Amino acid sequence: MPATLSTLTLNDAKRMLDAGETRAREFGIPYNLAIVDAGGHLLGFTRQDGAKTGCIDLAINKAYTARIFDNPTHILGTLAQPEQELFGIEQSNAGRVVIFGGGLPVHHHGTIIGAVGTSAGSVEQDIQIAQTMLAAL
C-alpha cells in the first residue's frame, strides 16, 4: 500500500498568509509571504502593496529551502559559514537555496508538511513573521 503524504492545504495557506499580513502591518513594512507544500511547491503567495520586488524570490526560496532541507534557513546560514560543514550549500539546487532567516518548516505530528518564507524587513522581523504564520495553524 502506498504511503500517504501529509501536506498543507490551501485553506491552511490562506490562514497563515492572513496572519503574516497582519503581523507585517504591525511592523509597518509591506511584505512578501510564501508557503510551499510538503513537496516544496508553491501553495500560496502574497505580495503586499509596495513590497519590494527583489524580495519576491527571496520569500519563495526561503520557504523552498526550509522544506527541502527541513531546517530553518537561519540554521542553515550558521552551518554554511566558511570552515563549517555546509559551506557552499547556497550554490546547490540551481541557486535557489537561501541561507538567512525567514524560512521555517511547518511540522504537524512530527511530520514536515510544508514551509513558510518571508522577506522584506530585517532578518529578525522576517523570522518573527514566519513564526506568526506557523502559529496560525
Side-chain angles (χ1 to χ4, degrees):
M1 173 143 295
T4 56
L5 178 66
S6 295
T7 191
L8 291 168
T9 66
L10 181 58
N11 283 335
D12 295 332
K14 288 177 180 179
R15 190 167 56 250
M16 296 167 77
L17 289 169
D18 284 345
E21 285 186 73
T22 299
R23 184 74 167 124
R25 280 191 292 276
E26 291 171 8
F27 286 137
I29 301 169
Y31 255 81
N32 291 284
L33 308 166
I35 299 175
V36 298
D37 65 14
H41 305 287
L42 188 63
L43 178 61
F45 177 81
T46 295
R47 178 176 173 251
Q48 292 180 300
D49 293 340
K52 297 174 187 172
T53 58
C55 294
I56 294 170
D57 286 342
L58 288 175
I60 293 169
N61 289 336
K62 285 180 187 184
Y64 171 78
T65 300
R67 176 53 195 102
I68 66 170
F69 291 108
D70 296 338
N71 271 294
T73 54
H74 66 278
I75 299 296
L76 293 173
T78 300
L79 297 172
Q81 296 306 306
E83 300 184 28
Q84 295 300 312
E85 61 187 274
L86 296 182
F87 180 66
I89 195 171
E90 70 278 2
Q91 300 302 315
S92 70
N93 295 277
R96 288 192 63 192
V97 175
V98 179
I99 59 168
F100 47 90
L104 298 174
V106 179
H107 298 265
H108 181 68
H109 297 300
T111 301
I112 296 177
I113 60 171
V116 301
T118 65
S119 189
S122 69
V123 169
E124 184 57 39
Q125 289 169 321
D126 289 1
I127 292 169
Q128 287 178 29
I129 290 178
Q131 290 169 334
T132 298
M133 292 169 71
L134 292 184
L137 281 179

